[in-house]
Amino acid sequence: MEKERRLHQLPEKDIKDVMSHTVLVENLPEDHSTENIQHIFGGVGAVLKLIFLSVQLHALVEYDTVEAVQKAVGTLNNEKIGEVACGLSLF
């Protein structure tokens, strides 16, 4: 899997903006699919980007609004994906 890289470093303001729109999903089941994760997290807001981390049992989900992030953490924390309860935290 090739790493995604930005061509130009984001200004500090933009980095903070991306972080405020992103949640960390932990403890994904080993058999998760991109489509399933997109479907589950898209239910609370528009997902701009979905990145699986190198361990593949973690993902970063970037939303279009801070409100969607708050809704995701409030409603999807400990949500079962398959047989596994996933943890969400602010990035």
Side-chain angles (χ1 to χ4, degrees), residues 42-71:
V44 297
V47 174
L48 298 179
K49 188 181 285 188
L50 176 62
I51 301 171
F52 292 100
L53 303 178
S54 61
V55 212
Q56 288 293 316
L57 299 180
H58 292 72
L60 296 174
V61 180
E62 183 181 340
Y63 284 100
D64 63 341
T65 65
V66 174
E67 292 77 18
V69 169
Q70 293 167 342
K71 186 174 181 182

Side-chain angles (χ1 to χ4, degrees), residues 10 12 15 19 21-23 34 42 46 53 57-58 65 78 88:
L10 287 174
E12 183 70 24
I15 291 172
M19 290 176 66
H21 287 75
T22 304
V23 294
T34 301
L53 303 178
L57 299 180
H58 292 72
T65 65
N78 295 317
L88 269 66

